[in-house]
């Protein structure tokens, strides 16, 4: 009986801490957004960036308080009410992070993609990650759906490939924004802001982001659909992506590259490179284990013993 009580209380306590974290992150993000956004003539994106932490602060604050009151906690512990609020927050923060880190909105980053408001940038990303972990925790306790476990059971490295694809999308989108803002003319009336080297490296970032997204999407699609993806094809993909991102991160995040300033492109490029290294390492380990297994378990052949006696099976 004690074991059952411990099992049911652990996830609730974990989510209570996560709800508190979302509340704190929302409050910090709201204050930073109000400072970064102009007091007048706010566009739609800036208004959305303000209202998202407001809604998140109210909802997360209410749920946190209800968790602290015993007779109220039953309504927000593994119920559809809690699940609905988590889903709303996950969608809101997923959309808001794109607005907050967009170079055109002049909020967390400037026109070059460099972080201009550290509190707004880092705590909005913290809210995104925490809302995602809340959703995973809710699925595990309410519906017994182990998202990470299901992915690992379906196929090896699918979690790494999924993370790699999401980061590649960020590389592709961020570099496309930087190229559009700094390497194209404004209605034909002015020259591009940056020189040729910057723009070439921006195109490189767009290219490797697109390549990484397409390849990882193919791998994930075949793995999730229970298709047999040959190991050597996956191994070849991983090696190619590792080499591409090894050169890409050197050119993109160097002094004259678009990823030189600390921002989405800088972090996503290095994260992609690290993930590609982890995928290659995992493939190498599987390859070495396969070779070791083949050597240690050769085909067994039955030969008659060297005694010259005739075996019963041969008669």
């Amino acid at each position: 009986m004690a074991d059952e009580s411990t099992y049911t209380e652990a996830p609730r306590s974990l989510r209570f801490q996560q709800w508190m974290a979302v509340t704190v992150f929302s409050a910090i993000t709201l204050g930073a957004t109000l400072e970064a956004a102009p007091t007048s003539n706010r566009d739609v994106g800036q208004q959305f960036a303000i209202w998202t932490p407001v809604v998140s602060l109210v909802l997360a604050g209410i749920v946190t308080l209800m968790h602290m009151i015993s007779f109220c906690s039953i309504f927000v512990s593994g119920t559809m009410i809690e699940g609905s609020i988590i889903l709303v927050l996950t969608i809101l923060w997923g959309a808001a992070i794109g607005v907050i880190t967009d170079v055109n909105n002049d909020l967390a980053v400037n026109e070059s993609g460099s972080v201009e408001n550290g509190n707004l940038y880092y705590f909005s990303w913290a809210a995104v990650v925490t809302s995602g972990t809340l959703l995973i925790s809710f699925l595990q306790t309410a519906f017994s759906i182990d998202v990470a476990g299901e992915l690992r059971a379906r196929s090896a490295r699918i979690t790494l490939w999924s993370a790699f694809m999401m980061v590649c999308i960020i590389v592709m989108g961020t570099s496309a924004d930087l190229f559009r803002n700094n390497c194209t003319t404004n209605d034909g009336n002015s020259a591009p802001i940056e020189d040729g080297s910057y723009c070439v490296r921006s195109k490189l970032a767009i290219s490797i982001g697109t390549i990484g997204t397409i390849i990882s999407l193919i791998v994930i699609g075949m793995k999730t659909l229970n298709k047999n993806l040959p190991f050597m094809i996956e191994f070849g993909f991983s090696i190619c992506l590792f080499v591409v991102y090894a050169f890409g991160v050197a050119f993109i995040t160097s002094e004259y590259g678009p990823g030189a300033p600390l921002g989405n492109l800088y972090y996503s490029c290095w994260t992609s490179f690290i993930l590609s290294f982890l995928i290659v390492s995992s493939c190498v380990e599987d390859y070495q284990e396969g070779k070791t297994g083949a050597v240690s378990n050769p085909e067994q052949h039955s030969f008659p013993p060297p005694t010259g006696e005739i075996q019963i099976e041969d008669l």
Side-chain angles (χ1 to χ4, degrees):
M1 193 71 180
D3 294 339
E4 183 178 356
S5 174
T6 304
Y7 176 79
T8 56
E9 288 297 330
R12 181 179 302 179
S13 175
L14 175 62
R15 276 208 297 278
F16 171 69
Q17 296 174 358
Q18 292 171 325
W19 278 115
M20 288 185 62
V22 172
T23 305
V24 173
F25 296 156
S26 300
I28 297 174
T29 303
L30 176 59
T33 308
L34 290 174
E35 290 183 354
T39 55
S40 60
N41 298 326
R42 292 171 178 166
D43 56 25
V44 177
Q46 292 170 340
Q47 292 178 1
F48 180 74
I50 293 174
W51 279 107
T52 294
V54 169
V55 174
S56 177
L57 178 61
V58 172
L59 293 178
I62 292 174
V63 174
T64 302
L65 290 176
M66 293 181 70
H67 270 288
M68 298 173 66
I69 304 173
S70 58
F71 67 88
C72 293
S73 62
I74 59 175
F75 297 104
V76 290
S77 296
T79 63
M80 293 306 298
I81 296 176
E82 184 187 24
S84 300
I85 296 175
I86 292 174
L87 182 61
V88 169
L89 293 181
T90 303
I91 295 173
L92 280 177
W93 280 114
I97 193 65
V99 175
I100 291 173
T101 59
D102 190 341
V103 296
N104 298 311
N105 291 325
D106 195 25
L107 291 172
V109 297
N110 55 25
E111 291 183 354
S112 65
S114 177
V115 176
E116 199 171 42
N117 190 322
N119 282 345
L120 180 55
Y121 181 86
Y122 293 107
F123 282 101
S124 59
W125 271 113
V128 172
V129 174
T130 309
S131 61
T133 57
L134 269 174
L135 181 61
I136 294 174
S137 175
F138 177 79
L139 292 175
Q140 288 177 339
T141 56
F143 299 102
S144 299
I145 300 176
D146 186 0
V147 177
E150 287 289 334
L151 290 176
R152 288 193 298 267
R154 189 171 292 272
S155 182
R157 292 175 294 277
I158 191 170
T159 305
L160 287 174
W161 280 109
S162 300
F164 182 76
M165 183 185 69
M166 290 187 290
V167 178
C168 285
I169 292 174
I170 297 176
V171 172
M172 179 176 59
T174 304
S175 55
D177 282 340
L178 292 173
F179 180 81
R180 183 176 61 250
N181 292 334
N182 300 315
C183 298
T184 58
T185 57
N186 299 322
D187 299 326
N189 298 324
S190 60
I193 300 174
E194 297 291 345
D195 59 8
S197 176
Y198 179 95
C199 297
V200 169
R201 300 183 190 204
S202 298
K203 292 179 181 179
L204 174 64
I206 297 172
S207 300
I208 66 174
T210 304
I211 293 171
T213 302
I214 293 174
I215 291 179
S216 56
L217 187 61
I218 293 173
V219 174
I220 294 169
M222 296 189 70
K223 286 177 177 287
T224 53
L225 294 175
N226 289 324
K227 301 294 184 181
N228 291 325
L229 178 65
F231 172 76
M232 294 308 297
I233 293 181
E234 181 184 4
F235 196 8
F237 279 158
S238 64
I239 293 176
C240 292
L241 289 174
F242 174 72
V243 173
V244 167
Y245 271 90
F247 283 99
V249 76
F251 284 98
I252 296 169
T253 62
S254 62
E255 182 179 359
Y256 301 105
L262 294 180
N264 278 354
L265 187 56
Y266 176 87
Y267 291 120
S268 58
C269 276
W270 277 108
T271 304
S272 299
F273 172 71
I274 294 172
L275 288 173
S276 65
F277 172 76
L278 293 177
I279 293 173
V280 170
S281 300
S282 178
C283 289
V284 170
E285 290 177 359
D286 285 359
Y287 180 74
Q288 293 295 337
E289 289 178 2
K291 288 181 62 178
T292 304
V295 172
S296 60
N297 296 304
E299 294 183 2
Q300 300 294 325
H301 300 282
S302 58
F303 296 98
T307 59
E309 298 179 357
I310 301 176
Q311 300 299 307
I312 299 176
E313 293 83 2
D314 298 332
L315 292 178

